[in-house]
Amino acid sequence: MTAPVRYPQPSLTCNPALPTEALILDRVQETEDIFTLQLRLTDPHQEWRLGIQPGQFNMLYRFGVGEIPISFKAIGKDKHGQPVLEHAIRRVGRISGALAALKPGDRIGLRGPFGTGWPLQKAKGQDLCVVTGGLGCAPAVSIIEHAFANRSHYGHIHIIQGVKHSADLLWRNRYEFWAQQPDTTVLMAADVAAPGWPWYSGRVTELIKLLPLQPGQTLVCCCGPEPMMQASAEQLILRQVPAEAIWLSMERNMQCASGHCGHCQFGADFICRDGPVMPYPRLRDRLGLEGV
Amino acid sequence: MTRPRVAVHKFSSCDGCQLAFLNLGETLLQLNEQVDILHFLEAGMNDASADVDIAFVEGSLSTPDELTRIRQVRANSRYLVSIGACATSGGLQALRNLDGNHDEWRDAIYARPEFIRTLKEVRPIAAEVRVDLELWGCPVSSTQILAAIRALLFGVAPVDDRDRVCLECKRQQAVCVMVTQGIPCMGPVTRTGCGALCPRFGRDCYGCYSPSETAQTATLARRFSGLGLLPDAIARRFWLINSQAPPFLQTGRVFHRSAASDPDD
Amino acid sequence: MPAADFLPRSRLPDLLAVLKAQGYDVIAPQVIEGALLYRPLQHCRQLPTGIRQQQQPGRYRLIATDSPRQFSWANGPQALKPLTFAPRETLWRSHENDDGTLSFEEVPVSPPALAILGVRGCDLAALALQDQHFRDDPYYQPRRQSLLLIAVDCSHPAETCFCASTGDGPKATIGYELALTELDDGFLVRAQGARGQAILKALPLDITAPAQRRQARHQHRAACRQLRRLPSFEPAQLIQQGRHPAWDEVADACLGCGNCTSVCPSCFCFSTSEAPDLNGQTSSHQRQWDSCFSEGHSYIHGRHIRPDIRTRYRQWLTHKFGSWVEQYGRSGCTGCGRCISWCPVGIDPLQVLSRLSDADPDEP
Amino acid sequence: MTSRRIRIDVPALTRVEGEGSLRLEVRQDQLIELGLSIFEPPRYFEKFLEGREAEEVVDIVARICGICPVAYQISALNALESMSRQMASPWVRSMRRAFYCGEWLQSHALHIHLLALPDFLGFENAIAMAERHPNMVKRGLKLQGLGNALVRLFGGRSVHPVGARLGGFHHAPAPDEVTALADRLKAAQQDAGDLTRFCASLPLPDDPQTFICVALHHPDRYAIESGEIRTSTGLNLSANQFEQHFHETHKPDSTALWSDLDGQPYLTGPLARLNINHPQLPDFLLTRLGEIGLELPSCNMFHSLIARALEIELVLHEAIQLLNDYTYPKSPYTALPLEPGIGYGMSEAPRGLLWHRYELDEKGLIRAARIVPPTSQNQARIEADLHHSLTTMGLDNGEDVLKLRAEQVIRNYDPCISCSTHFLTLKKVET
Ligand SMILES: Cc1cc2nc3c(=O)[nH]c(=O)nc-3n(C[C@H](O)[C@H](O)[C@H](O)COP(=O)(O)OP(=O)(O)OC[C@H]3O[C@@H](n4cnc5c(N)ncnc54)[C@H](O)[C@@H]3O)c2cc1C
Ligand code: SF4
Ligand code: SF4
Ligand code: SF4
């Protein structure tokens, strides 16, 4: 007789739904409502999580309050030169607000990395064009930092950033620093510019028209509000950039980040698993559809 | 660490929501370790004018005195939570607002009506002062109260779940009474929080937790009519415990009027 | 000599005994609160003997007859979903220790071995869909693996059923250990896989008479004649039909209550929530069934992607019948008809699908 | 003797249900003013019952009082069902009694531990008392919790339960739930006995008074959910005779509605019940009476506390019996068609007699309703008691002593002020 099958119990370390502890080493207030957390994972067995790539994200958990998806910003260094994970978070609601109240020395939970990153392999040997709209876009910063850290892998680097108001520009000195670098173009535009704003006023799409692009050998990484990403992609296509070379970072409600909870579906895709970074042709016919 | 100071105030009500505290059992003693209860008449704490971090307010406003008192409570409290249907929508007693015949009722009952100082309309707390959080339900449950206190202790706003009773009804594996018995259930337009109590007891939800988000009251009213309810019976479904909550008020009004203008009825 | 495969009705208790002997708890549909719900089965008397059904849009009634049959109805409000994908469960617990460190504790699932009697073909097909979706889910899988499935071919589809047109019924074809075809006097039994075969071997079976076999074939053909059928449409196109007036019509009729998603055996959405203890030292991270009809489903800070019933209904229909094909290689609908019967206002998605294939005046 | 003037003003009484105030003035050791007022605003329940369907009444009247919703539901059902030719089934009648036992248990346990005992043990409130007497307070909370669990078994929740309906219940609890609860109730009987002994051992003021007792009496059992009125003056009345003997009047300087029995103040509630029905107590409680030396009828109002403790033991015992005999019914209710007319009904709320009257029209809608709750009935008695107690104790006592005694006296009646369906007292309008 065959006995009923008993499923082996999942073990603690392989349960993708289980967070691990992260210690807040430092907390930097970037703007009034954006702050960066420097994190160290306290369990040495969890270090594989530091293999996180630009464009991927973690679920950050505040004890007793809940979890939210937050993109990877950078791997920084602590004062002993040890690698630390950086996440930039905007305080907008319940959980981000609870995370904002934490200080160095406090602990949070972390699950990840999740999702697709920017297509670094594909980008190798090509020009890189990073287009962002809106406030402090962590996925964009992460790819730019990565590109400068691996400068020889890429040709020309184009950085275009659009903000609503010139005062919204985050990490301004980083942009100024990048603008000084060889083989790099930094263009910025504000819909509304304060006096003394050295860059353009207008929309990001206008900047795209100005870019010295080499369409066949440029890979575009785009993040920001969906209408802006869509308009940018169309503008880039007008500039002969192939649609397949344009990659967008998407955002939807996420409860599990493991492709189960169904909240992040965008048509047939689970943004947490098939995204957040996805090629434009995949998204093209759904972007802009109401309610999708 | 200093414990947050808490007050429980009562306005026009049945006292049932305060029982969410008094029915906590031993948890009441645990709660007392987390917070400092300064004012709660029924439990024996009496310091109505104390400055507190969290004030829970039960009951609706129905006298001029209560208007003065609620302003004082607001001024003394950092975070004001209105609890229960009376406090959030006026509750059952706000039915008197509908007819606009408060004076008549009063005069019918009291030999010396001039002594009765009441407002013509029963008002929810938020009609008079700013309310930081509303906990709906008639009565609110201990679970809701504890979750709110815990969230505030963590320094975050409590979760405001506005989903429908139906969702919880199915999670609880209750059998739909509307589909199997043709009973007019308010679950599809009522907010969860009770754990789908009524359908679990084989009966219709009567809307005691107030309207849910995107409450499709007109659609449901049409369905009730399909189940054989006459317009005035439909109006009564919406005009019960949360008659003043806008979607219920509105749909009740439509059917109340059509009942009044229907000569056959 | 033909193999013995007939279990007389009087010997159905033997099946129960075999299952119990092999260590299974048995559950089967029983009449509870006017519907058929899975409940522990101690003896065959608890089965819904002679029960027939009336299912129509928004309406479900049981009718008692004096038929000896125990499975002459279509289905109850829930398929197997609650047994594998719990309506609410704790995923893990966290502790804040006195020194401020956090520890996380898994809350493992250890279900008993369960044999389920009376499963339908449509529900097995839906289970296969959930198996795909939750293939690496550490909470779903243990429950799933401990199930032994005993199907009964559907002989009395309801008015709301359309499994014949989705190809998932009325006969059980995949995913069972044992399958029964119910006749007046007993059951034709077939098995799949080693576990099924082992049970089959342990049963006291007779040889099926040719007349009985004929009756079974006839019954199957009759069950295939269903009132409803899936209309033809282009799955990939559904999502593009955003401006079709069908959506406004259905939005006006729909309560947005999410019952269709809760009773659908393939729907898998859940939300998570945090339940901290009062003392603030331990907290449970839970998940519970959610629905694309809830406001939280499509909320991202500052905006509701689907703020109204129209867009929410569209999400449900275009996902179930459209995007699902791309996600899992087939539509998410197995024709069980539950979303039609259990919709409190009786909306029939098949009608919406047909309406969508009407030329849309606005769409080019 | 020097002239002395004391003015005691308790603007908000604590540890009572609902809001009320007390004001008394003593001049030259004479009580010149005494007023218990209730400033619970009117909620006009009787008025908005008009025009509602009979089926809706239970859900509405529950909301008159969060502490004794079951009492309101059962009195209303008694009144409404009296308009039917049929009766609720025996199953329903027993289960209603069990349901009601839950409410007595929770209400009495709450009153004794959270409202009354702090007075006798010298604490501001029960939470403060818990620091010194943790086990006693926990015992009380446990008994209260069991009462709530019993109400939940039939009603889904203990405040405004949703289970009761015309003709019975919406839902019959599963037998295993019933057994599980019965076991918990059994386990609490020891605690309940200890509680009675403890209450009896307290140095309660000994202050005999004369008063009329009014309670329901049932020939077969200690009256809870049904019975006829019996008074210590020898009256036996059915519900429809209530209005012939009990009247509500206005005191000239107040706006409250006061009830009297043929012109006399009277007592309703635990002590009145025990005084009238004690011969029907089960044997173990008759033994208990001897053990604690309580002679009945008692004319010491403070024995109300002991009466509540004894009634806790009683309802535990009753509920256990009823649940032991539990059978799962074919249907938890019988449809009872109601005929137009007038229906009267009453029951014993934890605080005393609760009387309802409904007039039903041809369409099955309520034409008129009248509800007389226990607190308004006790109102006159409370003031008479205050007058007597304070004078007997000696008005020359210090202000704090007078105030504490006054509050003890009021709490002793467990007045449930929130049930102001139609009565109201405002603070005396000051000139
Ligand atoms: C892949 C991905 C990467 C992200 N990276 C960053 C980042 O690097 N920095 C940053 O500041 N923000 C990022 N966000 C957005 C961030 O997740 C939301 O701001 C956050 O969830 C808001 O949570 P809240 O509780 O503070 O807000 P509330 O408004 O209180 O939201 C309530 C709940 O809704 C859900 N929710 C709300 N907004 C979002 C959202 N935008 N995305 C997903 N779920 C949401 C969450 O479950 C949240 O707890 C990212 C989102 C996604 C999907
Ligand atoms: S019983 Fe009521 S709440 Fe439950 S699913 Fe049906 S309509 Fe919704
Ligand atoms: S089901 Fe409806 S009426 Fe019943 S308790 Fe819940 S919200 Fe209130
Ligand atoms: S969509 Fe409807 S018919 Fe299809 S499987 Fe789901 S519930 Fe059944």
Side-chain angles (χ1 to χ4, degrees):
Chain A
M1 250 198 272
T2 12
V5 177
R6 296 238 177 230
Y7 187 78
Q9 294 303 317
S11 84
L12 282 169
T13 43
C14 76
N15 185 343
L18 198 70
T20 190
E21 185 195 48
L23 170 68
I24 301 177
L25 291 178
D26 202 2
R27 180 190 184 285
V28 180
Q29 193 71 41
E30 310 272 6
T31 67
E32 200 186 318
D33 55 3
I34 297 178
F35 58 99
T36 297
L37 295 181
Q38 279 202 344
L39 303 170
R40 193 179 66 221
L41 304 180
T42 53
D43 175 356
H45 297 110
Q46 301 288 342
E47 241 153 49
W48 56 276
R49 295 185 195 264
L50 296 180
I52 186 167
Q53 296 291 310
Q56 288 189 298
F57 67 97
N58 282 320
M59 293 297 276
L60 301 189
Y61 168 74
R62 163 73 171 102
F63 174 73
V65 182
E67 289 188 311
I68 50 172
I70 296 294
S71 295
F72 168 65
K73 179 184 159 204
I75 295 281
K77 294 228 187 320
D78 71 4
K79 50 181 180 288
H80 310 293
Q82 294 300 311
V84 292
L85 193 56
E86 288 185 359
H87 282 293
I89 306 167
R90 190 146 74 96
R91 173 168 50 78
V92 295
R94 260 189 109 241
I95 301 175
S96 53
L99 289 169
L102 297 175
K103 337 173 272 307
D106 289 341
R107 320 277 171 141
I108 62 172
L110 180 151
R111 289 193 294 130
F114 295 113
T116 54
W118 298 110
L120 295 174
Q121 280 307 318
K122 282 207 177 65
K124 245 187 187 165
Q126 304 224 28
D127 289 357
L128 205 57
C129 172
V130 181
V131 184
T132 47
L135 300 159
C137 201
V141 174
S142 68
I143 181 83
I144 299 170
E145 295 285 8
H146 170 89
F148 281 103
N150 301 275
R151 192 62 190 88
S152 60
H153 293 179
Y154 308 100
H156 194 87
I157 298 181
H158 307 272
I159 300 172
I160 29 185
Q161 159 91 44
V163 287
K164 270 222 184 65
H165 191 278
S166 52
D168 294 342
L169 181 66
L170 184 60
W171 296 307
R172 185 168 177 157
N173 47 15
R174 290 306 288 162
Y175 283 94
E176 279 163 357
F177 168 78
W178 293 326
Q180 310 293 311
Q181 302 305 306
D183 234 2
T184 305
T185 316
V186 175
L187 296 180
M188 284 192 270
D191 291 357
V192 184
W197 171 254
W199 292 289
Y200 296 86
S201 46
R203 299 192 168 271
V204 177
T205 38
E206 301 298 313
L207 299 183
I208 293 174
K209 292 183 187 156
L210 304 172
L211 274 187
L213 280 177
Q214 292 188 284
Q217 46 176 299
T218 303
L219 188 127
V220 182
C221 301
C222 186
C223 80
E226 280 165 40
M228 167 265 160
M229 291 200 288
Q230 193 178 14
S232 303
E234 290 306 324
Q235 191 62 49
L236 285 157
I237 288 169
L238 283 179
R239 301 252 0 237
Q240 312 300 326
V241 178
E244 312 77 70
I246 304 171
W247 295 73
L248 314 184
S249 175
M250 298 289 293
E251 192 170 313
R252 282 293 177 276
N253 185 302
M254 284 173 196
Q255 302 287 301
C256 72
S258 55
H260 294 130
C261 78
H263 285 61
C264 69
Q265 290 176 93
F266 184 69
D269 293 307
F270 292 85
I271 296 292
C272 71
R273 190 188 65 199
D274 307 323
V277 175
M278 297 168 77
Y280 184 58
R282 174 84 200 147
L283 302 169
R284 195 172 194 168
D285 61 354
R286 291 174 219 165
L287 268 180
L289 291 184
E290 182 205 2
V292 176
Chain B
M1 198 186 85
T2 60
R3 291 175 300 164
R5 287 158 310 174
V6 169
V8 181
H9 294 274
K10 177 195 152 67
F11 289 79
S12 296
S13 69
C14 76
D15 276 32
C17 289
Q18 297 177 50
L19 286 180
F21 292 91
L22 295 182
N23 278 338
L24 282 173
E26 284 196 29
T27 311
L28 182 61
L29 304 179
Q30 271 180 37
L31 177 65
N32 189 55
E33 290 164 12
Q34 305 286 327
V35 300
D36 199 1
I37 306 174
L38 296 184
H39 178 77
F40 185 175
L41 284 181
E42 188 164 339
M45 295 84 166
N46 187 0
D47 188 357
S49 55
D51 276 333
V52 295
D53 298 299
I54 314 170
F56 289 95
V57 177
E58 173 195 89
S60 51
L61 305 170
S62 59
T63 64
D65 283 356
E66 288 186 330
L67 296 184
T68 320
R69 197 151 63 87
I70 190 64
R71 286 187 208 116
Q72 195 55 47
V73 170
R74 176 68 266 185
N76 294 341
S77 319
R78 207 155 61 82
Y79 201 87
L80 191 154
V81 187
S82 54
I83 56 171
C86 300
T88 48
S89 78
L92 195 57
Q93 63 259 30
L95 282 173
R96 80 168 201 229
N97 297 9
L98 294 171
D99 301 81
N101 50 11
H102 162 255
D103 291 358
E104 229 171 83
W105 285 8
R106 181 197 55 196
D107 298 351
I109 288 173
Y110 298 96
R112 305 275 304 274
E114 65 275 18
F115 279 109
I116 318 285
R117 292 219 211 98
T118 48
L119 301 173
K120 276 202 187 343
E121 301 217 316
V122 169
R123 299 183 201 164
I125 303 299
E128 204 52 40
V129 298
R130 183 171 54 80
V131 169
D132 299 298
L133 174 72
E134 299 192 317
L135 293 181
W136 296 80
C138 180
V140 288
S141 70
S142 301
T143 322
Q144 283 170 287
I145 297 269
L146 291 182
I149 293 179
R150 187 63 255 170
L152 294 174
L153 289 173
F154 276 132
V156 295
V159 180
D160 187 22
D161 186 353
R162 310 195 305 156
D163 284 348
R164 294 165 169 72
V165 171
C166 289
L167 263 186
E168 187 61 20
C169 181
K170 286 290 163 291
R171 289 185 195 121
Q172 299 283 347
Q173 303 286 295
V175 174
C176 178
V177 298
M178 191 126 80
V179 168
T180 55
Q181 302 178 55
I183 303 179
C185 179
M186 291 285 282
V189 295
T190 302
R191 154 199 295 253
T192 58
C194 64
L197 212 53
C198 293
R200 269 164 57 209
F201 268 57
R203 64 166 295 185
D204 52 312
C205 165
Y206 52 97
C208 82
Y209 267 70
S210 84
S212 66
E213 55 98 19
T214 54
Q216 303 299 101
T217 48
T219 305
L220 186 64
R222 278 202 308 265
R223 177 63 182 158
F224 287 173
S225 154
L227 292 173
L229 263 65
L230 294 174
D232 60 340
I234 295 174
R236 283 199 297 272
R237 296 255 74 194
F238 289 93
W239 283 357
L240 190 61
I241 293 171
N242 288 289
S243 62
Q244 301 298 299
F248 288 3
L249 183 63
Q250 172 56 24
T251 301
R253 194 167 277 149
V254 169
F255 284 84
H256 185 70
R257 270 205 210 107
S258 83
S261 63
D262 182 356
D264 297 342
D265 185 52
Chain C
M1 186 180 118
D5 65 353
F6 187 76
L7 182 72
R9 190 176 299 281
S10 58
R11 286 188 217 143
L12 193 59
D14 292 275
L15 172 59
L16 236 65
V18 170
L19 295 169
K20 288 194 174 151
Q22 296 200 1
Y24 290 97
D25 293 342
V26 184
I27 64 170
Q30 295 169 33
V31 177
I32 311 274
E33 312 260 354
L36 291 165
L37 308 184
Y38 284 114
R39 286 286 186 280
L41 188 75
Q42 272 83 33
H43 38 74
C44 294
R45 286 196 305 284
Q46 293 168 297
L47 288 170
T49 308
I51 294 294
R52 293 278 161 80
Q53 272 180 345
Q54 259 186 4
Q55 292 195 45
Q56 281 147 11
R59 192 183 150 88
Y60 181 101
R61 296 287 187 285
L62 298 182
I63 301 151
T65 71
D66 49 16
S67 154
R69 292 198 179 212
Q70 287 150 316
F71 301 92
S72 53
W73 35 264
N75 53 25
Q78 288 289 344
L80 303 165
K81 183 165 82 173
L83 299 168
T84 46
F85 170 32
R88 175 173 281 118
E89 66 185 316
T90 296
L91 303 181
W92 38 266
R93 267 194 272 279
S94 53
H95 306 276
E96 192 171 61
N97 308 311
D98 290 342
D99 60 357
T101 56
L102 295 182
S103 39
F104 296 91
E105 175 202 347
E106 200 170 28
V107 179
V109 180
S110 43
L114 262 193
I116 310 178
L117 173 60
V119 180
R120 298 301 188 196
C122 54
D123 295 344
L124 289 170
L127 187 66
L129 281 171
Q130 288 230 323
D131 285 351
Q132 270 182 288
H133 180 74
F134 289 114
R135 67 189 159 271
D136 53 0
D137 183 277
Y139 305 93
Y140 176 95
Q141 284 300 334
R143 295 199 186 91
R144 172 65 183 98
Q145 303 291 328
S146 55
L147 296 186
L148 179 102
L149 299 160
I150 304 174
V152 180
D153 296 330
C154 189
S155 54
H156 291 72
E159 219 177 278
T160 43
C161 291
F162 53 101
C163 60
S165 66
T166 65
D168 299 302
K171 202 181 177 67
T173 50
I174 52 153
Y176 59 81
E177 269 69 40
L178 217 59
L180 316 178
T181 305
E182 184 182 40
L183 303 179
D184 282 347
D185 47 0
F187 305 87
L188 271 66
V189 191
R190 57 190 194 276
Q192 273 180 358
R195 287 195 293 160
Q197 293 297 346
I199 294 164
L200 189 75
K201 281 211 194 75
L203 290 175
L205 300 175
D206 291 349
I207 310 261
T208 306
Q212 287 171 319
R213 230 172 264 291
R214 263 199 311 279
Q215 197 195 349
R217 270 199 304 276
H218 175 77
Q219 177 172 307
H220 174 69
R221 272 198 305 276
C224 288
R225 286 192 290 272
Q226 296 173 347
L227 279 177
R228 281 187 160 69
R229 50 181 304 107
L230 196 61
S232 65
F233 58 92
E234 184 49 62
Q237 273 312 303
L238 283 183
I239 203 168
Q240 298 297 333
Q241 293 178 272
R243 283 200 293 271
H244 199 286
W247 302 122
D248 294 310
E249 294 157 18
V250 73
D252 184 47
C254 173
L255 294 167
C257 66
N259 276 324
C260 47
T261 61
S262 297
V263 297
C264 179
S266 66
C267 273
F268 51 67
C269 288
F270 61 83
S271 56
T272 58
S273 61
E274 198 67 22
D277 291 356
L278 178 60
N279 67 15
Q281 285 162 7
T282 300
S283 184
S284 301
H285 190 75
Q286 306 180 327
R287 73 174 172 194
Q288 56 275 324
W289 287 2
D290 198 3
S291 163
C292 47
F293 284 94
S294 78
E295 70 173 338
H297 193 274
S298 69
Y299 169 78
I300 64 175
H301 183 77
R303 108 186 151 106
H304 287 95
I305 290 172
R306 294 182 282 276
D308 52 17
I309 306 293
R310 181 173 157 275
T311 45
R312 293 182 198 174
Y313 192 90
R314 191 151 69 87
Q315 168 66 19
W316 139 251
L317 201 82
T318 58
H319 176 227
K320 182 93 347 182
F321 294 91
S323 322
W324 213 295
V325 178
E326 208 180 316
Q327 288 173 339
Y328 295 110
R330 59 157 294 173
S331 125
C333 172
T334 64
C336 73
R338 287 188 179 86
C339 56
I340 306 173
S341 304
W342 295 97
C343 170
V345 288
I347 294 174
D348 178 351
L350 302 183
Q351 272 174 12
V352 184
L353 283 171
S354 317
R355 178 76 177 92
L356 281 168
S357 56
D358 294 351
D360 170 4
D362 292 348
E363 216 93 31
Chain D
M1 203 185 226
T2 55
S3 93
R4 198 169 83 116
R5 185 176 162 165
I6 301 181
R7 194 178 173 89
I8 295 179
D9 207 342
V10 187
L13 288 165
T14 57
R15 285 185 276 124
V16 294
E17 284 129 359
E19 305 229 315
S21 68
L22 168 73
R23 160 174 307 203
L24 58 94
E25 190 165 341
V26 177
R27 220 179 275 163
Q28 315 244 296
D29 291 344
Q30 290 289 317
L31 200 54
I32 60 156
E33 187 199 327
L34 181 143
L36 165 67
S37 59
I38 286 167
F39 44 89
E40 189 72 31
R43 293 193 290 142
Y44 303 104
F45 270 78
E46 292 162 331
K47 274 294 177 184
F48 51 70
L49 280 165
E50 290 172 12
R52 313 284 321 193
E53 280 165 71
E55 281 81 9
E56 295 178 276
V57 172
V58 275
D59 294 329
I60 295 177
V61 295
R63 275 137 178 111
I64 293 174
C65 173
I67 296 118
C68 49
V70 174
Y72 281 90
Q73 293 188 325
I74 303 283
S75 284
L77 289 168
N78 287 345
L80 292 167
E81 290 174 4
S82 75
M83 288 184 267
S84 173
R85 286 176 197 277
Q86 298 167 45
M87 273 233 287
S89 71
W91 183 89
V92 166
R93 280 177 280 148
S94 330
M95 291 309 122
R96 279 186 181 159
R97 185 169 169 88
F99 183 39
Y100 217 137
C101 284
E103 183 156 289
W104 277 29
L105 178 54
Q106 71 81 17
S107 175
H108 283 357
L110 175 115
H111 180 262
I112 295 179
H113 296 88
L114 294 181
L115 313 184
L117 277 187
D119 279 345
F120 297 109
L121 299 179
F123 293 92
E124 278 289 302
N125 56 60
I127 289 178
M129 189 167 76
E131 278 165 30
R132 284 284 306 285
H133 305 281
N135 292 334
M136 188 182 64
V137 174
K138 282 181 189 167
R139 176 177 70 196
L141 293 170
K142 190 175 114 191
L143 287 168
Q144 182 198 355
L146 278 173
N148 285 329
L150 187 50
V151 177
R152 272 202 306 276
L153 182 71
F154 295 97
R157 62 181 170 200
S158 59
V159 181
H160 309 333
V162 303
R165 56 161 291 164
L166 269 178
F169 291 92
H170 287 286
H171 164 91
D176 51 343
E177 285 177 81
V178 174
T179 324
L181 184 58
D183 290 345
R184 287 172 60 203
L185 295 175
K186 279 175 211 157
Q189 280 182 298
Q190 176 72 38
D191 278 351
D194 293 347
L195 177 63
T196 308
R197 286 183 211 101
F198 173 77
C199 290
S201 73
L202 288 170
L204 299 174
D206 185 12
D207 177 19
Q209 304 181 32
T210 36
F211 47 82
I212 300 171
C213 291
V214 173
L216 291 190
H217 174 80
H218 190 282
D220 308 329
R221 48 181 185 266
Y222 197 92
I224 298 178
E225 79 294 351
S226 66
E228 308 264 276
I229 295 172
R230 179 173 280 193
T231 72
S232 54
T233 54
L235 283 174
N236 286 297
L237 304 171
S238 52
N240 57 4
Q241 295 171 304
F242 178 89
E243 286 166 304
Q244 294 161 20
H245 295 270
F246 294 86
H247 308 281
E248 286 180 305
T249 47
H250 272 194
K251 246 173 77 170
D253 64 338
S254 151
T255 48
L257 297 172
W258 294 45
S259 296
D260 61 68
L261 167 59
D262 297 323
Q264 298 294 310
Y266 61 95
L267 175 73
T268 166
L271 188 60
R273 286 192 292 253
L274 202 61
N275 279 344
I276 288 181
N277 294 324
H278 64 91
Q280 290 171 303
L281 288 175
D283 291 346
F284 81 97
L285 284 181
L286 292 173
T287 317
R288 180 87 73 240
L289 287 178
E291 179 192 346
I292 61 176
L294 180 65
E295 298 220 3
L296 293 173
S298 157
C299 49
N300 180 355
M301 262 316 296
F302 284 102
H303 284 160
S304 299
L305 185 78
I306 305 174
R308 279 190 193 94
L310 284 163
E311 285 190 340
I312 285 182
E313 289 202 74
L314 172 80
V315 292
L316 267 179
H317 171 80
E318 284 285 311
I320 291 165
Q321 304 294 312
L322 293 163
L323 297 189
N324 277 348
D325 297 341
Y326 184 80
T327 48
Y328 190 79
K330 239 185 133 51
S331 165
Y333 66 92
T334 349
L336 298 179
L338 304 186
E339 309 201 340
I342 298 182
Y344 303 87
M346 43 192 191
S347 67
E348 281 289 344
R351 286 156 197 78
L353 183 64
L354 172 56
W355 179 89
H356 288 221
R357 182 195 71 198
Y358 298 95
E359 198 179 325
L360 205 62
D361 71 11
E362 277 68 30
K363 286 191 226 157
L365 304 179
I366 305 293
R367 187 178 291 143
R370 184 161 177 241
I371 295 170
V372 183
T375 297
S376 91
Q377 304 183 56
N378 274 337
Q379 181 105 355
R381 174 85 269 277
I382 298 177
E383 284 200 5
D385 189 346
L386 277 172
H387 206 283
H388 172 93
S389 298
L390 297 178
T391 325
T392 320
M393 187 175 75
L395 291 169
D396 52 345
N397 270 297
E399 191 173 324
D400 285 351
V401 178
L402 284 175
K403 178 167 174 259
L404 176 65
R405 173 57 65 90
E407 290 191 67
Q408 279 181 338
V409 166
I410 296 171
R411 282 189 201 116
N412 203 17
Y413 290 81
D414 194 9
C416 183
I417 299 169
S418 38
C419 55
S420 55
T421 48
H422 64 271
F423 69 98
L424 167 88
T425 317
L426 289 177
K427 277 180 281 183
K428 200 181 131 212
V429 188
E430 223 84 53
T431 42

